[in-house]
């Protein structure tokens, strides 16, 4: 079968101390500290074999995440710039959906012909975090496309418990399989936003004002979800023109360029004026630009306001906590989208037409042309063997 296959050399940087798990499994907790000379290409790979508890999926569509492009970039020393959990060689791609073509003998709830989307964080169910119901904090986490073969391929095999049926989406759209595959591939980024906004952050009362920092795929998902959740004024901050238009298409009432403000105080004052002095009920920080966003939030929180940190950030963040204390506000950390009924809820929203994440799609590429798709930096790019080849 054809697949996008990524290889790299296991060469820990001088001074980096390997953990016991890194030493014994050959994986990296911090990829940019270990993987050197990383390279990827579309090539022939053996078709995967379906295990007893697995399903074999003919991949219908897969989404290119910023991670997929970022891990192929190299620093001055030739090391991968992706700093997360990873193991190579591997078929990448962790946002994907498809049709089941084979089921293992122990699989009971899925059958050949079912359309499914696949969770990207495969929790063990046995560690202390999982036993507390904190699946995204699993200590034995596996990730398709990062620690074992993923969805940038014609076929993939995964444990059945990480699969969720898309049949209702297909039925809502008149039996259109490709629409179900495309939406199914976007459940993962939508689920990341859902986890932050509702599971970790607790959501808003309809009528509250919401601000989303950053209009990448996670931010666009947050905008779409907050629109259907009843945000009164839905405000986004984004500086890239293409993303500004996508934010509007996904439901933002106002989109401002954060670089156009002289100071955080000016930015916060604008938010207070726009909300008629009520302040912001929920901030969704999807940009990872916490050095610049937290000073704005501190001065424009509504009473009981909430901050949800979804975007990954590097370095220290200056926070004057008094604004949160004075307003009885909260800050919640969020990572991932597994468990908690997130996939079924997102599927139900898609299958009722409440959200349509195709609004953020900016490119569709055949698997053979995936490297061209990785060059697009706005919106969500999808990959499928069903799309036409570039000429």
């Amino acid at each position: 079968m054809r697949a996008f296959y990524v290889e790299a050399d296991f060469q820990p940087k001088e001074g980096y101390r390997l953990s016991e798990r890194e030493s014994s499994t050959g994986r990296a907790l911090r990829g940019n500290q270990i993987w050197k000379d990383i390279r990827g290409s579309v090539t022939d790979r053996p078709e995967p074999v379906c295990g007893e508890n697995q399903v074999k999926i003919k991949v219908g569509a897969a989404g290119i995440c910023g991670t997929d492009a970022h891990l192929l970039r190299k620093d001055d020393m030739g090391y991968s710039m992706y700093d997360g959990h990873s193991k190579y060689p591997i078929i990448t791609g962790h946002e994907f959906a498809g049709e089941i073509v084979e089921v293992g003998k122990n699989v009971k709830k899925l059958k050949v012909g079912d359309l499914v989307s696949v969770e990207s964080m495969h929790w063990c169910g046995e560690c202390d975090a999982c036993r507390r119901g904190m699946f995204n904090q699993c200590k034995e986490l596996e990730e398709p496309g990062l620690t074992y073969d993923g969805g940038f391929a014609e076929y993939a095999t995964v444990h059945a418990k990480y699969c969720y049926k898309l049949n209702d989406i297909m039925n809502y759209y008149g039996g259109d399989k490709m629409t179900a595959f495309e939406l199914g591939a976007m459940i993962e980024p939508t689920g990341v936003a859902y986890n932050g906004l509702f599971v970790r952050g607790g959501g808003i009362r309809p009528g509250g004002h919401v601000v989303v920092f950053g209009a990448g795929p996670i931010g666009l998902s947050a905008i779409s979800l907050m629109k259907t959740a009843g945000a009164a004024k839905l405000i986004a901050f984004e500086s890239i023109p293409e993303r500004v238009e996508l934010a509007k298409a996904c439901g933002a009432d106002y989109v401002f360029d954060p670089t156009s403000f002289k100071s955080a105080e000016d930015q916060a004052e604008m938010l207070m004026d726009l909300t008629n002095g009520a302040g912001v009920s929920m901030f969704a920080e999807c940009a990872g630009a916490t050095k610049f966003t937290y000073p704005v939030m501190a001065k424009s929180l509504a009473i009981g306001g909430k901050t949800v940190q979804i975007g990954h950030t590097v370095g220290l963040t200056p926070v004057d906590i008094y604004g949160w204390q004075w307003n009885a506000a909260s800050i919640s950390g969020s990572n991932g989208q597994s468990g908690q009924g997130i996939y079924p809820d997102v599927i139900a929203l898609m299958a009722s037409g409440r959200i349509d994440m195709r609004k953020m799609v900016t490119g569709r590429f055949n698997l053979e042309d995936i490297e061209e798709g990785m060059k697009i930096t706005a919106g969500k790019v999808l990959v499928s063997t069903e799309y036409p080849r570039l000429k």
Side-chain angles (χ1 to χ4, degrees), residues 63-67 95 185-194 212-225 238 243 246 250 286 310 357 360-362 376-381:
I64 296 177
C65 174
T67 295
E95 305 173 2
M186 290 185 282
I187 293 172
E188 197 275 348
T190 308
V192 169
Y194 189 103
V212 177
F213 290 105
I218 307 302
L220 294 172
S221 298
I223 291 168
S224 296
L225 290 166
E238 178 56 64
R243 291 183 175 183
L246 289 169
C250 286
C286 303
I310 303 175
M357 300 317 302
M360 70 174 175
V361 176
T362 51
I376 298 177
T377 57
K380 176 59 64 178
V381 175

Side-chain angles (χ1 to χ4, degrees), residues 190-267:
T190 308
V192 169
Y194 189 103
N195 184 46
L197 297 170
F198 302 112
V199 179
R200 300 297 306 137
I204 61 164
R205 290 173 58 174
H209 305 302
V210 175
V211 167
V212 177
F213 290 105
I218 307 302
L220 294 172
S221 298
I223 291 168
S224 296
L225 290 166
M226 283 289 97
K227 190 71 172 180
T228 198
K233 290 182 178 177
L234 186 47
I235 306 154
F237 286 98
E238 178 56 64
S239 60
I240 299 174
E242 295 87 349
R243 291 183 175 183
V244 169
E245 295 307 311
L246 289 169
K248 293 176 181 177
C250 286
D253 299 307
Y254 308 88
V255 187
F256 298 101
D257 181 350
T259 66
S260 67
F261 294 86
K262 294 180 180 179
S263 66
E265 288 75 14
D266 287 347
Q267 206 170 339

Side-chain angles (χ1 to χ4, degrees), residues 95-145:
E95 305 173 2
F96 64 99
E99 182 173 354
I100 294 176
V101 295
E102 184 180 347
V103 297
K105 69 176 185 179
N106 295 335
V107 176
K108 306 298 182 185
K109 295 183 178 181
L110 298 171
K111 64 182 184 303
V112 171
D114 280 339
L115 275 55
V116 294
S117 182
V118 180
E119 278 187 341
S120 72
M121 301 180 75
H122 291 187
W123 38 276
C124 71
E126 297 180 358
C127 70
D128 287 345
C130 286
R131 284 161 61 88
R132 290 174 179 264
M134 306 291 285
F135 302 112
N136 293 297
Q137 283 66 51
C138 175
K139 301 306 181 185
E140 300 296 331
L141 186 69
E142 297 287 355
E143 299 175 89

Side-chain angles (χ1 to χ4, degrees), residues 2 61 147 152 325 329 367:
R2 301 291 282 172
T147 66
F152 289 154
Q325 183 180 10
L367 176 63

